[in-house]
Amino acid sequence: MSPRVAVITGAASGIGRAIAQRCAGQGMTVVLADINAARLADAESFIGRAGGDLYSRVTDVSCADSVEALAQDVFARYGQVNLLCNNAGVLQTGVCWEEPAPSWRRAMDINFMGVLHGVSSFVPRMLEQAQPAHIVNTGSLGALLAAPLMGPYTVSKMAVRGLTETLHYELRSIGASVGVSLLCPGPIETSMAASAAGREHPSPTARALMTELMSEDIVPMSPEDCAEIVLEAVAEGRFWIFTHPEFKRYYLALADELVAERNPQYRTAW
Ligand SMILES: NC(=O)c1ccc[n+]([C@@H]2O[C@H](COP(=O)([O-])OP(=O)(O)OC[C@H]3O[C@@H](n4cnc5c(N)ncnc54)[C@H](O)[C@@H]3O)[C@@H](O)[C@H]2O)c1
């Protein structure tokens, strides 16, 4: 039997690269898609070949044509995709009333439209293939909880959550052999976290908020441990994938506020 095929966007770094490495370790054929060609080449040699094929393709998830070309290429080569991780994303921070429209658009184009393009190009093909398939869309704690200074990121990730839940209901309603999960990582040690810490914010309001957020006691997880959690959840067909269960108390607190119609209280940066 030919190896199962995984396609991972944002695969040149961090969580995506770790998921790709784990899939390769399981003997899957792995397609690495990322906008950064140099980092893709590095990721390919970092992962090495362990069983199935390893294939990289430069892809800009914010561009529908680029993702459609990826899907065409992958299905022409391998005829199936068993795991699609719509993972590429960027952190876009700033105070709501100060952040210019292009900053909001960048977050939406990459974090939300990037996932939507994956769904649009891959799901119809996955529904036609003989083998079952699973999709993991990367949200964040920001897909469930808002936080100051995280406006563009939070808005884009909440949209990913809405899309992913809707997709789950629709796929279940037609009895499809395609499953879907929403990955909501807590803090993971990747270059995204480092770039957030280093971002220069122009206004005193933004600088004060960023100082407050960064002083919180957050224990990051390695991308490798995150990838292990993801693949276990996929194997079990779980929709919600959480890396840091300690944050569940904030979901409960939010649910309490909703039911009691109390004003939301900000409790955590993540
Ligand atoms: N690191 C965390 O703490 C954390 C927490 C919650 C959610 N996430 C999410 O996890 C996902 C992966 O992030 P990461 O932490 O591994 O960051 P990362 O910066 O290490 O990796 C992100 C990758 O996405 C790629 N990318 C960016 N724009 C792209 C585009 N337009 N098209 C294709 N690829 C593009 C980058 O080149 C990079 O290789 C993101 O969606 C992020 O929002 C991360």
Side-chain angles (χ1 to χ4, degrees), residues 10 12-15 34-36 59-62 87-90 110 138-140 153 157 185-188 190-192 270:
S13 170
I15 297 170
D34 202 285
I35 198 167
N36 189 321
T59 306
D60 178 357
V61 298
S62 70
N87 163 79
V90 290
I110 299 172
T138 302
S140 168
Y153 186 73
K157 293 294 186 178
I188 312 292
T190 69
S191 52
M192 192 191 82
W270 290 82

Side-chain angles (χ1 to χ4, degrees), residues 10-21:
S13 170
I15 297 170
R17 190 181 73 170
I19 295 174
Q21 187 181 30

Side-chain angles (χ1 to χ4, degrees), residues 143-208:
L144 300 152
L145 302 168
L149 210 61
M150 293 285 175
Y153 186 73
T154 302
V155 167
S156 67
K157 293 294 186 178
M158 286 193 174
V160 170
R161 179 204 166 176
L163 168 67
T164 309
E165 264 189 78
T166 307
L167 179 64
H168 169 73
Y169 300 137
E170 290 173 353
L171 289 169
R172 297 289 59 80
S173 73
I174 60 165
S177 56
V178 180
V180 63
S181 300
L182 179 68
L183 169 60
C184 296
I188 312 292
E189 279 172 306
T190 69
S191 52
M192 192 191 82
S195 73
R199 172 149 186 213
E200 289 292 327
H201 279 285
S203 83
T205 316
R207 281 201 300 274

